[in-house]
Amino acid sequence: MRRPKPDDLREWCYPFIYETRLTCNYEILTDELCCHIGVVLAALPEGCDDIRADLEQLQSLIYNLNGSVRGRNGIFEQDIKWLKGRYSHYQQQTEGRVTGFVLPRGPAPVPQLHLCRCTGKKIVRMLVRLEEEGRRFAETLPRFANVLANFFFVLTVAIKARLNVEEVPYISVNY
C-alpha cells in the first residue's frame, strides 16, 4: 500500500519517498553523491583549483544524472567526453604512482573521495537494477556513472601526490 501524502509537508522529505520502485533509491544515491562532493569541496587543500572547478561542474552533472531516469535525459556524449578528459588529465599527472590495489586512506579529502567512488559504484549497480526492473534510460547514464567512479579514484591519487603522501599498497591473499 502506498502511503498518502501527509497533510503537514514538514513530514514529507521528498515527493517520491514512499514509492516502492527503485527509482527513488537511485535518486537518493545521486543526491548523496552530490552531498559527498560538497564535503570534499569544503576540505580541498590549497593548490587544487583545477580539482575544485571540476567538482563544482560535476555537482550539476550529477543532478542531471539524478533526473535522467524519471525525467528527460540530461547526460550526453559531451559530458562523458569531458569527464574522460579530466580523468586523463589527472592520470597523466600521477603516472606510475599506483601499480596495484591501494588502501583507501589519506588526509582529507581523500577518504571522502573514496566514499564518492563507492557511491558512484552503487549508482552503477542501481542502474543495473533499474534496467532489470524494466526501466529504460539513455545508455549514457551507466557509461557516465562508471567513468565517474573511476574519476574519483584518480582524484585521490592526484591529491595525495600533491600533498606528498605515499599510497599504501594492499596485497590480496584472495587472488
Side-chain angles (χ1 to χ4, degrees), residues 106-152:
V110 171
Q112 293 88 339
L113 281 165
H114 280 295
L115 290 174
C116 289
R117 176 181 56 82
C118 289
T119 305
K121 289 180 183 180
K122 290 177 188 177
I123 290 167
V124 173
R125 289 297 301 156
M126 187 57 70
L127 287 167
V128 169
R129 295 296 315 279
L130 283 163
E131 196 168 48
E132 179 182 74
E133 192 179 75
R135 197 77 162 160
R136 298 289 171 245
F137 44 81
E139 184 57 33
T140 54
L141 303 188
R143 291 175 53 221
F144 182 81
N146 273 283
V147 177
L148 193 58
N150 291 330
F151 177 75
F152 290 124

mmCIF file of all heavy atoms in Angstrom, residues 106-152:
data_model
loop_
_atom_site.group_PDB
_atom_site.id
_atom_site.type_symbol
_atom_site.label_atom_id
_atom_site.label_comp_id
_atom_site.label_asym_id
_atom_site.label_seq_id
_atom_site.Cartn_x
_atom_site.Cartn_y
_atom_site.Cartn_z
ATOM 1 N N GLY A 106 44.208 8.296 3.740
ATOM 2 C CA GLY A 106 44.984 9.507 3.493
ATOM 3 C C GLY A 106 44.311 10.673 4.181
ATOM 4 O O GLY A 106 43.261 10.537 4.809
ATOM 5 N N PRO A 107 44.911 11.850 4.051
ATOM 6 C CA PRO A 107 44.332 13.040 4.679
ATOM 7 C C PRO A 107 43.075 13.495 3.933
ATOM 8 O O PRO A 107 42.886 13.171 2.762
ATOM 9 C CB PRO A 107 45.455 14.078 4.549
ATOM 10 C CG PRO A 107 46.222 13.647 3.337
ATOM 11 C CD PRO A 107 46.145 12.143 3.310
ATOM 12 N N ALA A 108 42.243 14.250 4.633
ATOM 13 C CA ALA A 108 41.048 14.813 3.992
ATOM 14 C C ALA A 108 41.479 15.657 2.806
ATOM 15 O O ALA A 108 42.503 16.325 2.875
ATOM 16 C CB ALA A 108 40.265 15.652 4.999
ATOM 17 N N PRO A 109 40.782 15.579 1.722
ATOM 18 C CA PRO A 109 39.511 14.926 1.448
ATOM 19 C C PRO A 109 39.636 13.574 0.746
ATOM 20 O O PRO A 109 38.699 13.126 0.095
ATOM 21 C CB PRO A 109 38.823 15.929 0.533
ATOM 22 C CG PRO A 109 39.929 16.448 -0.317
ATOM 23 C CD PRO A 109 41.128 16.502 0.609
ATOM 24 N N VAL A 110 40.788 12.902 0.901
ATOM 25 C CA VAL A 110 40.975 11.611 0.228
ATOM 26 C C VAL A 110 39.941 10.571 0.671
ATOM 27 O O VAL A 110 39.303 9.936 -0.178
ATOM 28 C CB VAL A 110 42.428 11.111 0.391
ATOM 29 C CG1 VAL A 110 42.579 9.685 -0.109
ATOM 30 C CG2 VAL A 110 43.385 12.050 -0.341
ATOM 31 N N PRO A 111 39.716 10.363 1.984
ATOM 32 C CA PRO A 111 38.695 9.373 2.367
ATOM 33 C C PRO A 111 37.301 9.730 1.844
ATOM 34 O O PRO A 111 36.529 8.857 1.444
ATOM 35 C CB PRO A 111 38.723 9.387 3.896
ATOM 36 C CG PRO A 111 40.066 9.947 4.259
ATOM 37 C CD PRO A 111 40.403 10.918 3.161
ATOM 38 N N GLN A 112 37.003 11.019 1.823
ATOM 39 C CA GLN A 112 35.701 11.458 1.321
ATOM 40 C C GLN A 112 35.572 11.162 -0.176
ATOM 41 O O GLN A 112 34.493 10.794 -0.648
ATOM 42 C CB GLN A 112 35.500 12.951 1.597
ATOM 43 C CG GLN A 112 35.390 13.291 3.067
ATOM 44 C CD GLN A 112 36.725 13.567 3.749
ATOM 45 O OE1 GLN A 112 37.793 13.164 3.285
ATOM 46 N NE2 GLN A 112 36.669 14.233 4.887
ATOM 47 N N LEU A 113 36.662 11.306 -0.917
ATOM 48 C CA LEU A 113 36.630 10.961 -2.346
ATOM 49 C C LEU A 113 36.473 9.468 -2.547
ATOM 50 O O LEU A 113 35.841 9.027 -3.508
ATOM 51 C CB LEU A 113 37.897 11.471 -3.049
ATOM 52 C CG LEU A 113 37.890 12.951 -3.372
ATOM 53 C CD1 LEU A 113 39.289 13.428 -3.720
ATOM 54 C CD2 LEU A 113 36.905 13.258 -4.493
ATOM 55 N N HIS A 114 37.029 8.671 -1.648
ATOM 56 C CA HIS A 114 36.808 7.221 -1.736
ATOM 57 C C HIS A 114 35.334 6.894 -1.488
ATOM 58 O O HIS A 114 34.778 5.984 -2.115
ATOM 59 C CB HIS A 114 37.719 6.462 -0.772
ATOM 60 C CG HIS A 114 39.110 6.281 -1.283
ATOM 61 N ND1 HIS A 114 39.406 5.528 -2.399
ATOM 62 C CD2 HIS A 114 40.292 6.773 -0.844
ATOM 63 C CE1 HIS A 114 40.705 5.546 -2.621
ATOM 64 N NE2 HIS A 114 41.264 6.302 -1.693
ATOM 65 N N LEU A 115 34.687 7.647 -0.594
ATOM 66 C CA LEU A 115 33.241 7.455 -0.403
ATOM 67 C C LEU A 115 32.479 7.863 -1.665
ATOM 68 O O LEU A 115 31.492 7.207 -2.031
ATOM 69 C CB LEU A 115 32.751 8.248 0.807
ATOM 70 C CG LEU A 115 33.225 7.728 2.164
ATOM 71 C CD1 LEU A 115 32.807 8.682 3.274
ATOM 72 C CD2 LEU A 115 32.689 6.328 2.423
ATOM 73 N N CYS A 116 32.931 8.910 -2.337
ATOM 74 C CA CYS A 116 32.329 9.295 -3.626
ATOM 75 C C CYS A 116 32.471 8.148 -4.624
ATOM 76 O O CYS A 116 31.532 7.821 -5.355
ATOM 77 C CB CYS A 116 32.998 10.540 -4.185
ATOM 78 S SG CYS A 116 32.646 12.072 -3.300
ATOM 79 N N ARG A 117 33.663 7.558 -4.670
ATOM 80 C CA ARG A 117 33.919 6.439 -5.586
ATOM 81 C C ARG A 117 32.964 5.278 -5.301
ATOM 82 O O ARG A 117 32.350 4.735 -6.230
ATOM 83 C CB ARG A 117 35.378 5.993 -5.423
ATOM 84 C CG ARG A 117 35.776 4.788 -6.242
ATOM 85 C CD ARG A 117 37.241 4.420 -5.996
ATOM 86 N NE ARG A 117 37.565 4.183 -4.604
ATOM 87 C CZ ARG A 117 37.343 3.040 -3.956
ATOM 88 N NH1 ARG A 117 36.783 2.018 -4.576
ATOM 89 N NH2 ARG A 117 37.679 2.904 -2.696
ATOM 90 N N CYS A 118 32.816 4.939 -4.036
ATOM 91 C CA CYS A 118 31.909 3.837 -3.668
ATOM 92 C C CYS A 118 30.457 4.168 -4.002
ATOM 93 O O CYS A 118 29.716 3.304 -4.485
ATOM 94 C CB CYS A 118 32.044 3.515 -2.186
ATOM 95 S SG CYS A 118 33.599 2.713 -1.773
ATOM 96 N N THR A 119 30.054 5.397 -3.754
ATOM 97 C CA THR A 119 28.688 5.805 -4.090
ATOM 98 C C THR A 119 28.490 5.773 -5.598
ATOM 99 O O THR A 119 27.430 5.388 -6.091
ATOM 100 C CB THR A 119 28.361 7.187 -3.503
ATOM 101 O OG1 THR A 119 28.608 7.152 -2.095
ATOM 102 C CG2 THR A 119 26.913 7.562 -3.752
ATOM 103 N N GLY A 120 29.516 6.155 -6.357
ATOM 104 C CA GLY A 120 29.446 6.042 -7.815
ATOM 105 C C GLY A 120 29.196 4.611 -8.258
ATOM 106 O O GLY A 120 28.386 4.352 -9.159
ATOM 107 N N LYS A 121 29.875 3.658 -7.620
ATOM 108 C CA LYS A 121 29.649 2.239 -7.936
ATOM 109 C C LYS A 121 28.223 1.817 -7.581
ATOM 110 O O LYS A 121 27.594 1.052 -8.316
ATOM 111 C CB LYS A 121 30.637 1.356 -7.175
ATOM 112 C CG LYS A 121 32.050 1.439 -7.669
ATOM 113 C CD LYS A 121 32.920 0.522 -6.817
ATOM 114 C CE LYS A 121 34.368 0.580 -7.167
ATOM 115 N NZ LYS A 121 35.160 -0.334 -6.317
ATOM 116 N N LYS A 122 27.726 2.310 -6.453
ATOM 117 C CA LYS A 122 26.345 1.990 -6.061
ATOM 118 C C LYS A 122 25.351 2.519 -7.096
ATOM 119 O O LYS A 122 24.327 1.880 -7.363
ATOM 120 C CB LYS A 122 26.014 2.586 -4.695
ATOM 121 C CG LYS A 122 26.721 1.925 -3.540
ATOM 122 C CD LYS A 122 26.376 2.657 -2.252
ATOM 123 C CE LYS A 122 27.187 2.189 -1.087
ATOM 124 N NZ LYS A 122 26.883 2.950 0.141
ATOM 125 N N ILE A 123 25.650 3.676 -7.667
ATOM 126 C CA ILE A 123 24.775 4.237 -8.701
ATOM 127 C C ILE A 123 24.784 3.356 -9.935
ATOM 128 O O ILE A 123 23.733 3.082 -10.520
ATOM 129 C CB ILE A 123 25.197 5.692 -9.017
ATOM 130 C CG1 ILE A 123 24.849 6.590 -7.825
ATOM 131 C CG2 ILE A 123 24.540 6.193 -10.299
ATOM 132 C CD1 ILE A 123 25.486 7.966 -7.886
ATOM 133 N N VAL A 124 25.961 2.869 -10.327
ATOM 134 C CA VAL A 124 26.032 1.940 -11.467
ATOM 135 C C VAL A 124 25.195 0.700 -11.172
ATOM 136 O O VAL A 124 24.400 0.259 -12.011
ATOM 137 C CB VAL A 124 27.491 1.547 -11.784
ATOM 138 C CG1 VAL A 124 27.537 0.460 -12.848
ATOM 139 C CG2 VAL A 124 28.304 2.764 -12.223
ATOM 140 N N ARG A 125 25.351 0.153 -9.984
ATOM 141 C CA ARG A 125 24.581 -1.052 -9.609
ATOM 142 C C ARG A 125 23.082 -0.768 -9.593
ATOM 143 O O ARG A 125 22.279 -1.597 -10.008
ATOM 144 C CB ARG A 125 25.047 -1.575 -8.246
ATOM 145 C CG ARG A 125 26.428 -2.192 -8.264
ATOM 146 C CD ARG A 125 26.519 -3.410 -9.141
ATOM 147 N NE ARG A 125 25.558 -4.400 -8.666
ATOM 148 C CZ ARG A 125 25.030 -5.359 -9.414
ATOM 149 N NH1 ARG A 125 25.355 -5.465 -10.677
ATOM 150 N NH2 ARG A 125 24.174 -6.208 -8.906
ATOM 151 N N MET A 126 22.704 0.416 -9.134
ATOM 152 C CA MET A 126 21.282 0.750 -9.114
ATOM 153 C C MET A 126 20.752 0.881 -10.534
ATOM 154 O O MET A 126 19.614 0.491 -10.813
ATOM 155 C CB MET A 126 21.051 2.038 -8.316
ATOM 156 C CG MET A 126 19.581 2.369 -8.114
ATOM 157 S SD MET A 126 18.617 1.071 -7.280
ATOM 158 C CE MET A 126 19.292 1.168 -5.641
ATOM 159 N N LEU A 127 21.556 1.399 -11.454
ATOM 160 C CA LEU A 127 21.129 1.456 -12.858
ATOM 161 C C LEU A 127 20.934 0.048 -13.414
ATOM 162 O O LEU A 127 19.995 -0.197 -14.179
ATOM 163 C CB LEU A 127 22.148 2.239 -13.695
ATOM 164 C CG LEU A 127 22.136 3.754 -13.476
ATOM 165 C CD1 LEU A 127 23.378 4.396 -14.094
ATOM 166 C CD2 LEU A 127 20.869 4.390 -14.020
ATOM 167 N N VAL A 128 21.778 -0.885 -13.013
ATOM 168 C CA VAL A 128 21.607 -2.289 -13.415
ATOM 169 C C VAL A 128 20.271 -2.810 -12.900
ATOM 170 O O VAL A 128 19.506 -3.443 -13.628
ATOM 171 C CB VAL A 128 22.775 -3.164 -12.893
ATOM 172 C CG1 VAL A 128 22.487 -4.652 -13.062
ATOM 173 C CG2 VAL A 128 24.082 -2.782 -13.579
ATOM 174 N N ARG A 129 19.977 -2.527 -11.639
ATOM 175 C CA ARG A 129 18.719 -2.992 -11.033
ATOM 176 C C ARG A 129 17.509 -2.326 -11.688
ATOM 177 O O ARG A 129 16.477 -2.960 -11.899
ATOM 178 C CB ARG A 129 18.713 -2.718 -9.525
ATOM 179 C CG ARG A 129 19.749 -3.491 -8.728
ATOM 180 C CD ARG A 129 19.549 -4.998 -8.736
ATOM 181 N NE ARG A 129 18.185 -5.417 -8.524
ATOM 182 C CZ ARG A 129 17.569 -5.517 -7.344
ATOM 183 N NH1 ARG A 129 18.196 -5.243 -6.237
ATOM 184 N NH2 ARG A 129 16.314 -5.918 -7.282
ATOM 185 N N LEU A 130 17.617 -1.035 -11.996
ATOM 186 C CA LEU A 130 16.516 -0.329 -12.656
ATOM 187 C C LEU A 130 16.242 -0.928 -14.031
ATOM 188 O O LEU A 130 15.079 -1.106 -14.415
ATOM 189 C CB LEU A 130 16.830 1.163 -12.780
ATOM 190 C CG LEU A 130 16.667 1.967 -11.500
ATOM 191 C CD1 LEU A 130 17.392 3.301 -11.610
ATOM 192 C CD2 LEU A 130 15.197 2.175 -11.183
ATOM 193 N N GLU A 131 17.302 -1.245 -14.749
ATOM 194 C CA GLU A 131 17.143 -1.868 -16.063
ATOM 195 C C GLU A 131 16.489 -3.243 -15.920
ATOM 196 O O GLU A 131 15.594 -3.595 -16.683
ATOM 197 C CB GLU A 131 18.506 -1.976 -16.745
ATOM 198 C CG GLU A 131 18.423 -2.232 -18.222
ATOM 199 C CD GLU A 131 19.767 -2.029 -18.883
ATOM 200 O OE1 GLU A 131 20.785 -2.542 -18.384
ATOM 201 O OE2 GLU A 131 19.784 -1.345 -19.914
ATOM 202 N N GLU A 132 16.916 -3.978 -14.912
ATOM 203 C CA GLU A 132 16.335 -5.284 -14.618
ATOM 204 C C GLU A 132 14.845 -5.154 -14.285
ATOM 205 O O GLU A 132 14.031 -6.003 -14.636
ATOM 206 C CB GLU A 132 17.093 -5.910 -13.444
ATOM 207 C CG GLU A 132 16.603 -7.266 -13.005
ATOM 208 C CD GLU A 132 17.399 -7.753 -11.803
ATOM 209 O OE1 GLU A 132 17.182 -7.224 -10.686
ATOM 210 O OE2 GLU A 132 18.231 -8.646 -11.991
ATOM 211 N N GLU A 133 14.482 -4.054 -13.637
ATOM 212 C CA GLU A 133 13.100 -3.777 -13.253
ATOM 213 C C GLU A 133 12.251 -3.364 -14.459
ATOM 214 O O GLU A 133 11.035 -3.240 -14.358
ATOM 215 C CB GLU A 133 13.120 -2.664 -12.202
ATOM 216 C CG GLU A 133 11.841 -2.413 -11.480
ATOM 217 C CD GLU A 133 11.982 -1.309 -10.437
ATOM 218 O OE1 GLU A 133 12.032 -0.127 -10.824
ATOM 219 O OE2 GLU A 133 12.029 -1.650 -9.244
ATOM 220 N N GLY A 134 12.917 -3.117 -15.601
ATOM 221 C CA GLY A 134 12.180 -2.739 -16.802
ATOM 222 C C GLY A 134 12.251 -1.271 -17.137
ATOM 223 O O GLY A 134 11.656 -0.809 -18.111
ATOM 224 N N ARG A 135 12.988 -0.513 -16.351
ATOM 225 C CA ARG A 135 13.124 0.923 -16.594
ATOM 226 C C ARG A 135 14.062 1.149 -17.772
ATOM 227 O O ARG A 135 15.097 0.505 -17.881
ATOM 228 C CB ARG A 135 13.705 1.571 -15.337
ATOM 229 C CG ARG A 135 13.530 3.032 -15.291
ATOM 230 C CD ARG A 135 12.124 3.345 -14.918
ATOM 231 N NE ARG A 135 12.065 4.732 -14.470
ATOM 232 C CZ ARG A 135 10.965 5.403 -14.440
ATOM 233 N NH1 ARG A 135 9.842 4.832 -14.774
ATOM 234 N NH2 ARG A 135 10.959 6.637 -14.042
ATOM 235 N N ARG A 136 13.706 2.053 -18.654
ATOM 236 C CA ARG A 136 14.540 2.381 -19.818
ATOM 237 C C ARG A 136 15.135 3.769 -19.625
ATOM 238 O O ARG A 136 14.460 4.680 -19.144
ATOM 239 C CB ARG A 136 13.713 2.340 -21.109
ATOM 240 C CG ARG A 136 13.132 0.968 -21.398
ATOM 241 C CD ARG A 136 14.239 -0.012 -21.804
ATOM 242 N NE ARG A 136 13.716 -1.365 -21.864
ATOM 243 C CZ ARG A 136 14.096 -2.350 -21.058
ATOM 244 N NH1 ARG A 136 14.993 -2.155 -20.131
ATOM 245 N NH2 ARG A 136 13.577 -3.547 -21.179
ATOM 246 N N PHE A 137 16.396 3.904 -20.005
ATOM 247 C CA PHE A 137 17.085 5.188 -19.902
ATOM 248 C C PHE A 137 18.224 5.188 -20.910
ATOM 249 O O PHE A 137 18.579 4.160 -21.471
ATOM 250 C CB PHE A 137 17.613 5.432 -18.480
ATOM 251 C CG PHE A 137 18.287 4.235 -17.865
ATOM 252 C CD1 PHE A 137 19.613 3.913 -18.176
ATOM 253 C CD2 PHE A 137 17.605 3.428 -16.988
ATOM 254 C CE1 PHE A 137 20.219 2.810 -17.628
ATOM 255 C CE2 PHE A 137 18.209 2.312 -16.425
ATOM 256 C CZ PHE A 137 19.527 2.002 -16.746
ATOM 257 N N ALA A 138 18.790 6.352 -21.123
ATOM 258 C CA ALA A 138 19.855 6.509 -22.117
ATOM 259 C C ALA A 138 21.094 5.716 -21.708
ATOM 260 O O ALA A 138 21.436 5.631 -20.521
ATOM 261 C CB ALA A 138 20.211 7.987 -22.274
ATOM 262 N N GLU A 139 21.771 5.168 -22.698
ATOM 263 C CA GLU A 139 22.999 4.407 -22.460
ATOM 264 C C GLU A 139 24.108 5.285 -21.881
ATOM 265 O O GLU A 139 25.066 4.788 -21.294
ATOM 266 C CB GLU A 139 23.454 3.755 -23.771
ATOM 267 C CG GLU A 139 24.648 2.861 -23.645
ATOM 268 C CD GLU A 139 24.492 1.717 -22.643
ATOM 269 O OE1 GLU A 139 23.353 1.196 -22.484
ATOM 270 O OE2 GLU A 139 25.501 1.346 -22.010
ATOM 271 N N THR A 140 23.978 6.587 -22.036
ATOM 272 C CA THR A 140 24.990 7.494 -21.485
ATOM 273 C C THR A 140 25.033 7.449 -19.961
ATOM 274 O O THR A 140 26.079 7.743 -19.377
ATOM 275 C CB THR A 140 24.729 8.942 -21.945
ATOM 276 O OG1 THR A 140 23.385 9.300 -21.609
ATOM 277 C CG2 THR A 140 24.974 9.106 -23.438
ATOM 278 N N LEU A 141 23.942 7.069 -19.318
ATOM 279 C CA LEU A 141 23.911 7.086 -17.845
ATOM 280 C C LEU A 141 24.886 6.102 -17.221
ATOM 281 O O LEU A 141 25.729 6.500 -16.411
ATOM 282 C CB LEU A 141 22.491 6.860 -17.319
ATOM 283 C CG LEU A 141 21.403 7.823 -17.781
ATOM 284 C CD1 LEU A 141 20.121 7.578 -17.013
ATOM 285 C CD2 LEU A 141 21.836 9.257 -17.685
ATOM 286 N N PRO A 142 24.822 4.794 -17.553
ATOM 287 C CA PRO A 142 25.790 3.884 -16.933
ATOM 288 C C PRO A 142 27.224 4.160 -17.381
ATOM 289 O O PRO A 142 28.161 3.980 -16.592
ATOM 290 C CB PRO A 142 25.323 2.488 -17.354
ATOM 291 C CG PRO A 142 24.399 2.692 -18.494
ATOM 292 C CD PRO A 142 23.827 4.072 -18.348
ATOM 293 N N ARG A 143 27.406 4.626 -18.593
ATOM 294 C CA ARG A 143 28.761 4.947 -19.055
ATOM 295 C C ARG A 143 29.333 6.093 -18.222
ATOM 296 O O ARG A 143 30.469 6.035 -17.742
ATOM 297 C CB ARG A 143 28.736 5.304 -20.540
ATOM 298 C CG ARG A 143 28.435 4.103 -21.424
ATOM 299 C CD ARG A 143 28.278 4.458 -22.891
ATOM 300 N NE ARG A 143 29.417 5.209 -23.390
ATOM 301 C CZ ARG A 143 29.311 6.254 -24.225
ATOM 302 N NH1 ARG A 143 28.116 6.651 -24.662
ATOM 303 N NH2 ARG A 143 30.392 6.886 -24.636
ATOM 304 N N PHE A 144 28.546 7.151 -18.050
ATOM 305 C CA PHE A 144 28.981 8.299 -17.265
ATOM 306 C C PHE A 144 29.238 7.894 -15.814
ATOM 307 O O PHE A 144 30.252 8.278 -15.223
ATOM 308 C CB PHE A 144 27.920 9.406 -17.329
ATOM 309 C CG PHE A 144 28.290 10.655 -16.585
ATOM 310 C CD1 PHE A 144 29.128 11.597 -17.158
ATOM 311 C CD2 PHE A 144 27.805 10.889 -15.308
ATOM 312 C CE1 PHE A 144 29.478 12.759 -16.472
ATOM 313 C CE2 PHE A 144 28.144 12.036 -14.612
ATOM 314 C CZ PHE A 144 28.983 12.973 -15.202
ATOM 315 N N ALA A 145 28.339 7.106 -15.246
ATOM 316 C CA ALA A 145 28.479 6.701 -13.842
ATOM 317 C C ALA A 145 29.728 5.848 -13.625
ATOM 318 O O ALA A 145 30.404 5.984 -12.594
ATOM 319 C CB ALA A 145 27.227 5.964 -13.375
ATOM 320 N N ASN A 146 30.067 4.981 -14.569
ATOM 321 C CA ASN A 146 31.292 4.188 -14.456
ATOM 322 C C ASN A 146 32.523 5.073 -14.501
ATOM 323 O O ASN A 146 33.446 4.920 -13.679
ATOM 324 C CB ASN A 146 31.355 3.140 -15.576
ATOM 325 C CG ASN A 146 30.656 1.865 -15.201
ATOM 326 O OD1 ASN A 146 31.176 1.059 -14.440
ATOM 327 N ND2 ASN A 146 29.465 1.663 -15.739
ATOM 328 N N VAL A 147 32.573 6.002 -15.449
ATOM 329 C CA VAL A 147 33.718 6.916 -15.537
ATOM 330 C C VAL A 147 33.803 7.748 -14.256
ATOM 331 O O VAL A 147 34.893 7.993 -13.728
ATOM 332 C CB VAL A 147 33.636 7.823 -16.790
ATOM 333 C CG1 VAL A 147 34.806 8.815 -16.817
ATOM 334 C CG2 VAL A 147 33.616 6.997 -18.065
ATOM 335 N N LEU A 148 32.659 8.153 -13.745
ATOM 336 C CA LEU A 148 32.597 8.950 -12.529
ATOM 337 C C LEU A 148 33.276 8.234 -11.362
ATOM 338 O O LEU A 148 34.101 8.829 -10.655
ATOM 339 C CB LEU A 148 31.131 9.236 -12.210
ATOM 340 C CG LEU A 148 30.774 10.271 -11.190
ATOM 341 C CD1 LEU A 148 31.349 11.625 -11.564
ATOM 342 C CD2 LEU A 148 29.255 10.359 -11.073
ATOM 343 N N ALA A 149 32.951 6.973 -11.156
ATOM 344 C CA ALA A 149 33.567 6.210 -10.060
ATOM 345 C C ALA A 149 35.082 6.151 -10.239
ATOM 346 O O ALA A 149 35.845 6.344 -9.277
ATOM 347 C CB ALA A 149 32.968 4.809 -9.990
ATOM 348 N N ASN A 150 35.535 5.911 -11.453
ATOM 349 C CA ASN A 150 36.972 5.865 -11.724
ATOM 350 C C ASN A 150 37.623 7.236 -11.538
ATOM 351 O O ASN A 150 38.752 7.341 -11.060
ATOM 352 C CB ASN A 150 37.229 5.352 -13.143
ATOM 353 C CG ASN A 150 36.864 3.896 -13.280
ATOM 354 O OD1 ASN A 150 36.938 3.123 -12.331
ATOM 355 N ND2 ASN A 150 36.458 3.509 -14.470
ATOM 356 N N PHE A 151 36.905 8.286 -11.909
ATOM 357 C CA PHE A 151 37.412 9.645 -11.772
ATOM 358 C C PHE A 151 37.710 9.971 -10.307
ATOM 359 O O PHE A 151 38.744 10.570 -9.991
ATOM 360 C CB PHE A 151 36.391 10.637 -12.351
ATOM 361 C CG PHE A 151 36.764 12.071 -12.196
ATOM 362 C CD1 PHE A 151 37.748 12.637 -12.991
ATOM 363 C CD2 PHE A 151 36.130 12.873 -11.261
ATOM 364 C CE1 PHE A 151 38.109 13.982 -12.852
ATOM 365 C CE2 PHE A 151 36.475 14.213 -11.122
ATOM 366 C CZ PHE A 151 37.465 14.762 -11.922
ATOM 367 N N PHE A 152 36.828 9.571 -9.421
ATOM 368 C CA PHE A 152 37.047 9.863 -8.002
ATOM 369 C C PHE A 152 38.309 9.175 -7.494
ATOM 370 O O PHE A 152 39.039 9.731 -6.673
ATOM 371 C CB PHE A 152 35.826 9.481 -7.159
ATOM 372 C CG PHE A 152 34.649 10.372 -7.402
ATOM 373 C CD1 PHE A 152 33.434 9.842 -7.784
ATOM 374 C CD2 PHE A 152 34.753 11.748 -7.267
ATOM 375 C CE1 PHE A 152 32.344 10.663 -8.019
ATOM 376 C CE2 PHE A 152 33.674 12.587 -7.499
ATOM 377 C CZ PHE A 152 32.460 12.036 -7.876
#
